[in-house]
Amino acid sequence: MALFELFDTLEKGIKKDLLSGREKDKALARLAKTRGRYEALGGIDETGGVGAGLVERGRKLLSASPLKAEQAGKFLRHANAAWYDLSGRLGAYKWYVRCFFAATIGFFVLSPQFFGPILALIFLVPTFLGLRGLKTRSVSGFTLSAMNFPVALLAASTASRFFVPAALGNLGQAAADLAAKYPPLTVGVASVLVVVFALLSVVTIVASVAGAVVGFLNKDMFV
């Protein structure tokens, strides 16, 4: 297969051209891991689609001599990301995106109530750029989107300490306090909002933790 020929070419290039012992060992370890993934697949379609695109890109990246660490790293990133498509394991990517949306929505709804609007405003641009990057599965998109998880967890944890106990045991008083804080609200509407915010804070906590774990364990799916 052409892809495994490229793996052989890359291995020779790493051993020949990468002078740093640490750099060489790291590149060879990444190559071995990537090769093992594809060997487990048993074979891929190299005549079209993702497989053909990976082989074509690999030939371009590995055609230069001497081989540079940047070229080796770029090819391995593309190979690892393509493995998710070729092995049908894009479920991790879909779950990561869902967790990102859930955590981000929770953050923008809950954060202003406890930290004011400034924190949410600071994260508007990174959130937009992260969303764009997620569409192309770029590393920058992953990095920017992952920044939302810790702040969403902070906002949701803070909100849950107020709304969850209120929703479970002191709904009337909490609704009255919320209605007093925002005069247009009636106590009835405030009661509904307290329950909604309690549920949203729990969902946001779960989405933040799950998204961070899924992203960390599957960061190779981003190029």
Side-chain angles (χ1 to χ4, degrees):
M1 294 176 64
L3 179 60
F4 285 96
E5 292 175 2
L6 288 173
F7 287 151
D8 292 337
T9 299
L10 177 57
E11 183 176 4
K12 293 175 183 177
I14 291 172
K15 292 179 178 178
K16 176 176 177 291
D17 297 325
L18 299 189
L19 301 179
S20 168
R22 184 178 179 182
E23 183 180 69
K24 182 182 296 186
D25 293 341
K26 186 177 180 180
L28 287 173
R30 287 187 64 194
L31 173 58
K33 178 181 177 181
T34 305
R35 184 197 290 267
R37 282 179 162 181
Y38 279 93
E39 286 175 346
L41 287 182
I44 63 171
D45 181 9
E46 298 177 347
T47 61
V50 176
L54 175 60
V55 170
E56 181 180 357
R57 186 178 294 273
R59 285 171 175 162
K60 290 180 180 178
L61 287 171
L62 302 181
S63 61
S65 183
L67 177 70
K68 296 180 180 179
E70 181 182 358
Q71 294 167 311
K74 188 175 292 187
F75 172 63
L76 289 174
R77 284 199 305 273
H78 280 283
N80 283 316
W83 176 82
Y84 281 86
D85 297 89
L86 296 168
S87 64
R89 287 175 170 83
L90 282 178
Y93 170 74
K94 295 176 182 177
W95 274 108
Y96 180 82
V97 173
R98 289 168 185 156
C99 289
F100 168 74
F101 275 111
T104 299
I105 291 170
F107 167 68
F108 281 110
V109 172
L110 298 171
S111 175
Q113 300 181 54
F114 298 92
F115 302 101
I118 299 300
L119 183 61
L121 289 173
I122 290 173
F123 276 83
L124 273 177
V125 173
T127 297
F128 174 73
L129 295 177
L131 179 59
R132 290 185 60 183
L134 285 181
K135 292 180 180 179
T136 57
R137 282 170 57 191
S138 67
V139 171
S140 61
F142 168 63
T143 302
L144 289 169
S145 63
M147 290 170 57
N148 280 22
F149 293 130
V151 291
L153 182 61
L154 172 64
S157 299
T158 303
S160 68
R161 287 197 290 270
F162 174 77
F163 289 116
V164 172
L168 293 178
N170 196 16
L171 182 58
Q173 184 60 49
D177 292 342
L178 189 63
K181 185 177 180 181
Y182 301 101
L185 291 179
T186 65
V187 174
V189 173
S191 298
V192 174
L193 288 178
V194 169
V195 175
V196 170
F197 290 153
L199 292 173
L200 182 60
S201 64
V202 173
V203 170
T204 303
I205 290 172
V206 173
S208 299
V209 174
V213 171
V214 171
F216 176 76
L217 293 178
N218 298 278
K219 56 184 179 294
D220 284 346
M221 62 187 169
F222 297 95
V223 182

